[in-house]
Amino acid sequence: MSTPEGPAPDAPTDEVDLIVAAWRREAPQLDVEPLEVLSRVARLARHLDRLRRGAFSGHGLETWEFDVLAALRRAGAPHELSPGQLLVETLVTSGTMTNRVDRLVGRGFVERRPDPGGDRRSVRVRLTPAGSGVVDAALADLVRAEHAMLAVLGREERRALATLLRRVSAPFEG
């Protein structure tokens, strides 16, 4: 349990505790309590980014490649989406997605197919067997690494943390 003066005596300390203590000393007029949570979230995000890049690089993938392939894989059979749906799934611009799809087509991980319900210009992006194989293998490595990252928490602690983080992040979604 943290106190306004810092972590409880029996709690582990980290770099954020030092940062918060310094701000409390240097700017005592400010309530820097949000730093205790959000600075840790930011630092964990950087660690997670490194962990993910490591898991993906073992399969020759960049993070963005995994994101597009994973969106298609999660879509279910026949593992295809429109470019517009991919934009929503990956939070990038139309021009960026066109470039990404082009590069993934070049690697043989996806293919463009005519949209049966659209006009001649409408396409669907479909995961190929090669793309499915690489994203499945990368996902397995990612999940193993993420389990290891969270091993310091018990199952109930992980569920509680997920619930709390969902409450904070939900207003930014959709």
Side-chain angles (χ1 to χ4, degrees):
M1 174 72 59
S2 185
T3 68
E5 296 76 39
D10 61 340
T13 59
D14 62 8
E15 189 69 22
V16 173
D17 290 324
L18 300 174
I19 292 167
V20 169
W23 280 123
R24 284 189 171 130
R25 181 186 69 243
E26 297 300 318
Q29 75 282 8
L30 295 177
D31 177 5
V32 295
E33 184 183 25
L35 297 177
E36 292 192 67
V37 174
L38 299 176
S39 291
R40 285 185 175 93
V41 169
R43 293 173 76 82
L44 278 170
R46 287 192 292 273
H47 291 297
L48 179 59
D49 185 52
R50 281 191 221 117
L51 180 138
R52 291 176 141 230
R53 281 184 300 191
F56 303 150
S57 70
H59 301 279
L61 293 176
E62 297 290 331
T63 300
W64 68 264
E65 290 174 307
F66 177 84
D67 289 345
V68 174
L69 297 175
L72 292 167
R73 182 69 172 89
R74 288 191 311 267
H79 305 291
E80 68 180 26
L81 295 169
S82 71
Q85 290 169 306
L86 282 171
L87 295 176
V88 171
E89 290 280 330
T90 60
L91 301 174
V92 298
T93 66
S94 172
T96 298
M97 184 53 65
T98 298
N99 184 334
R100 290 180 176 187
V101 170
D102 288 345
R103 290 176 62 185
L104 290 168
V105 166
R107 294 195 66 190
F109 292 153
V110 302
E111 60 187 8
R112 284 188 176 91
R113 302 173 56 84
D115 185 344
D119 63 33
R120 292 181 316 174
R121 295 171 294 158
S122 297
V123 297
R124 306 282 289 173
V125 179
R126 181 179 285 186
L127 193 62
T128 65
S132 183
V134 75
V135 75
D136 285 356
L139 177 63
D141 284 352
L142 174 63
V143 169
R144 274 192 293 278
E146 288 182 351
H147 273 290
M149 184 179 194
L150 294 173
V152 298
L153 301 175
R155 182 174 296 277
E156 289 306 313
E157 290 173 310
R158 289 191 304 268
R159 286 186 183 138
L161 180 58
T163 297
L164 293 170
L165 289 171
R166 184 180 303 111
R167 282 179 45 199
V168 173
S169 67
F172 298 99
E173 301 294 325

